[in-house]
Amino acid sequence: MDAIQQQFKQRLAEHSIVINDSQLEQFETYYRVLVEWNEKMNLTGITERDAVYTKHFYDSLSLAFYVPLKDVESLADIGSGAGFPGIPLKICFPQIQLTIVDSLNKRIQFLAHVVEQLGLENVELIHSRAEELGRKPGYRDSYDLVTARAVARLAVLNEFCLPFVREGGHFAAMKGSDPTEEIKEASYSLKELKGKIKHVQAFQLPVEDAARHMIIIEKRAATPRKYPRKPGTPLKTPLV
């Protein structure tokens, strides 16, 4: 275990997330595969090892600071990109049944390789638009927890993500800068999609003190039949 891994492990332990050597090795393998594939396709602009551990791995796991992930059985990560936050959460909380949804098949192929290399089980990778998959039985109104990290504004994310959340489950929108205006803008979409904000947590990433915000939304009732609308509509005409 080198200094970067030791620091990563210690920072997680400060939030009662304890990882073993096998899990640390999975993170290191993930890093190596990410950098290797990033030379062939655009996965991330962050490739320095210490930055990946902080800005991708630690940032992804920050969700567990505010949501009891040990109690989560099913998680859907919408628009996961290079696998954040879904894959780091799966490494640390292996009991989770993880579904990753992304609209770009190349990213799904990358994630399939990651899952294989890390030896992860109970991971479903789906090449689809969220608006289409969110209407299908088995996915609609089904998940304990749904996540989205830096995908779109909250008014749009609500329509992408809340249809996947079971009644009584939660959607966690992981944001950077202060989301106050986004939250105001999203009030109508929350009402339409039966979501209610439980709390908003502000924190800073270590080292650079970069601002992060976690918006935790509870699903209060089943998704109305008219949502989500057809692919492309939420982005073009948000519920505001």
Side-chain angles (χ1 to χ4, degrees), residues 156-219:
V156 177
L157 284 181
N158 285 334
E159 190 167 358
F160 283 167
C161 298
L162 279 169
F164 289 91
V165 184
R166 65 168 175 80
E167 188 174 344
H170 296 88
F171 164 42
M174 304 173 73
K175 293 287 185 177
S177 55
D178 187 348
T180 301
E181 289 302 315
E182 279 191 50
I183 290 171
K184 290 179 182 177
E185 177 187 83
S187 60
Y188 177 70
S189 64
L190 283 169
K191 180 181 178 182
E192 282 288 287
L193 292 153
K194 310 305 178 184
K196 182 177 181 180
I197 292 178
K198 286 187 70 177
H199 50 92
V200 180
Q201 299 287 347
F203 64 102
Q204 292 181 319
L205 287 184
V207 184
E208 294 185 8
D209 292 333
R212 293 290 187 271
H213 293 79
M214 198 78 64
I215 307 169
I216 309 298
I217 298 169
E218 183 180 6
K219 178 84 165 279

Side-chain angles (χ1 to χ4, degrees), residues 3-15 46 49-63 65-66 149 202-213:
I4 290 175
Q5 291 174 310
Q6 181 67 35
Q7 192 173 57
F8 177 63
K9 187 173 182 178
Q10 288 176 346
R11 285 172 175 159
L12 293 179
E14 291 171 2
H15 295 277
I46 299 168
R49 185 164 172 262
D50 57 345
V52 169
Y53 269 80
T54 301
K55 295 181 179 180
H56 283 325
F57 297 164
Y58 180 89
D59 189 27
S60 293
L61 293 168
S62 65
L63 177 59
F65 306 167
Y66 308 107
R149 177 176 178 260
F203 64 102
Q204 292 181 319
L205 287 184
V207 184
E208 294 185 8
D209 292 333
R212 293 290 187 271
H213 293 79

Side-chain angles (χ1 to χ4, degrees), residues 46 52 84 101 120 124 141 152 168 170 183 220 222 226:
I46 299 168
V52 169
F84 307 118
V101 182
L120 300 176
E124 184 178 17
D141 295 330
H170 296 88
I183 290 171
R220 307 301 292 272
K226 60 182 176 179

Side-chain angles (χ1 to χ4, degrees), residues 129-136 139-141 163-164 227-228:
R129 298 285 291 267
E131 304 98 311
E132 294 174 329
L133 193 66
R135 284 194 162 274
K136 293 185 178 179
Y139 300 98
R140 185 180 181 88
D141 295 330
F164 289 91
Y227 298 116

Side-chain angles (χ1 to χ4, degrees), residues 107-166:
R107 288 197 288 258
I108 294 295
Q109 291 172 355
F110 160 73
L111 291 170
H113 184 68
V114 168
V115 167
E116 180 186 11
Q117 292 295 304
L118 271 55
L120 300 176
E121 299 179 347
N122 297 316
V123 178
E124 184 178 17
L125 306 171
I126 303 177
H127 172 222
S128 177
R129 298 285 291 267
E131 304 98 311
E132 294 174 329
L133 193 66
R135 284 194 162 274
K136 293 185 178 179
Y139 300 98
R140 185 180 181 88
D141 295 330
S142 295
Y143 291 87
D144 295 336
L145 179 64
V146 176
T147 62
R149 177 176 178 260
V151 173
R153 291 182 69 82
L154 188 59
V156 177
L157 284 181
N158 285 334
E159 190 167 358
F160 283 167
C161 298
L162 279 169
F164 289 91
V165 184
R166 65 168 175 80

